[in-house]
Amino acid sequence: MSSLDLWQELRGTESAGRLTGREHRLKDPGRIDARVAEDVRVKGRTADEALAAITDRIRFSFCYPSDGYLPGMRADVAELRSRGFTEVERRNLWEAAVRLGTVSVWRAPGSGELFEVQFHTALSQSVRERSFPLYARLRSAESDDDTRAELQALSRALCWSGPVLADRPFRPGGMAHRVAYYAIIDALSSRESPAGVLRRVMHPDGQRDEAFGHDLAWRHTFLLYSAERGNLDNKLRQISGIEAARIVGRVRTAAAAAAS
């Protein structure tokens, strides 16, 4: 695992005093293995390609008082850039259904290693930590459809204290069966040629997420839940059923060619 440590890189600066959670900077190996296995099945990646594309194997968090959030974040972003770190992507989650601060991905100078930096207030950091047990159950293949719908509702209620601005969570008994499809786009793919496809199935008894993989089957996936929580490995673009069928066809064709 990487030796990259912002506490050492920023020693003696004001930014170092705003870093929190040093003990959590390395992602759990089991979750890394699960991410790699999902990319191999869903995208047809090699294990090395999948591992290299994970943006949050190493993670850091800055924490600010609410009234100093934006100035503090700007100062720390400038400090990182001044030391040769390159910001790859940033996502603001303050206006999302899961109110979990700001998440960004950076590239280290020299090694080119990717790592995640989160920018929080004390409240958003507390909410992220307290909501993790719900998220762990939500992404588990062992949870049933009814449980996932309830977990989704509980998670959004915990993470959002104002009016819901994004899609309202599905609740059992609330609507008829419907399916939303998403193209999976990562660093090695594009909007025109996505890495894969997933669907969120919502019905009166709950909800589930499934991805079509190179094993030619729709199976449980955690990729959409992960993206909703702020993971930046993938961009998920909602698409029509016709577009989803085209991606499924492309995967089938690739699998047939590989088998011949």
Side-chain angles (χ1 to χ4, degrees):
M1 184 61 76
S2 170
S3 60
L4 176 63
D5 191 339
L6 285 189
W7 274 267
Q8 296 299 322
E9 296 283 346
L10 300 177
R11 180 186 295 179
T13 68
E14 291 185 5
S15 294
R18 293 188 282 264
L19 280 168
T20 64
R22 187 174 190 174
E23 67 276 15
H24 301 304
R25 74 184 181 91
L26 299 180
K27 194 177 187 72
D28 178 81
R31 293 179 63 202
I32 292 176
D33 291 345
R35 190 79 61 80
V36 169
E38 191 72 351
D39 271 16
V40 170
R41 187 190 82 82
V42 174
K43 303 176 184 177
R45 302 287 186 237
T46 66
D48 286 344
E49 287 172 336
L51 184 62
I54 296 176
T55 59
D56 62 349
R57 283 187 290 167
I58 316 160
R59 300 169 296 181
F60 303 96
S61 294
F62 290 97
C63 192
Y64 315 93
S66 296
D67 59 355
Y69 181 80
L70 286 177
M73 184 171 71
R74 292 189 189 108
D76 292 332
V77 166
E79 184 68 43
L80 289 172
R81 288 174 175 165
S82 74
R83 292 172 180 269
F85 295 100
T86 303
E87 188 173 20
V88 176
E89 188 174 357
R90 187 190 306 180
R91 183 178 173 196
N92 180 351
L93 293 173
W94 289 106
E95 298 300 326
V98 284
R99 197 173 179 181
L100 296 172
T102 301
V103 180
S104 60
V105 173
W106 294 73
R107 192 179 303 278
S111 69
E113 204 163 19
L114 295 174
F115 62 98
E116 181 182 273
V117 178
Q118 299 177 12
F119 302 95
H120 286 289
T121 64
L123 177 59
S124 70
Q125 190 165 48
S126 172
V127 166
R128 175 172 281 274
E129 291 169 356
R130 288 185 290 123
S131 65
F132 182 79
L134 294 174
Y135 169 63
R137 291 181 61 199
L138 187 64
R139 59 178 277 150
S140 171
E142 297 178 2
S143 295
D144 59 29
D145 291 7
D146 178 76
T147 298
R148 286 198 190 94
E150 292 297 335
L151 289 170
Q152 188 81 310
L154 286 171
S155 181
R156 295 194 181 197
L158 177 63
C159 295
W160 178 248
S161 58
V164 176
L165 300 180
D167 288 343
R168 295 181 181 275
F170 178 79
R171 302 300 300 274
M175 65 178 72
H177 184 286
R178 68 183 178 93
V179 181
Y181 293 96
Y182 296 84
I184 304 169
I185 304 165
D186 64 8
L188 299 178
S189 60
S190 66
R191 289 174 64 95
E192 294 72 28
S193 183
V197 62
L198 65 79
R199 65 189 181 191
R200 173 161 288 174
V201 181
M202 293 157 284
H203 57 88
D205 294 320
Q207 72 168 52
R208 66 182 179 274
D209 288 357
E210 301 170 327
F212 188 82
H214 285 249
D215 56 356
L216 305 184
W218 287 98
R219 301 190 191 279
H220 166 76
T221 186
F222 54 79
L223 294 179
L224 182 51
Y225 296 127
S226 183
E228 289 173 335
R229 192 171 168 83
N231 177 266
L232 299 179
D233 288 1
N234 302 297
K235 293 181 176 66
L236 299 178
R237 180 173 67 89
Q238 190 163 354
I239 58 176
S240 68
I242 293 174
E243 290 177 279
R246 290 187 186 127
I247 299 172
V248 167
R250 191 160 61 241
V251 173
R252 290 187 185 278
T253 299
S260 62

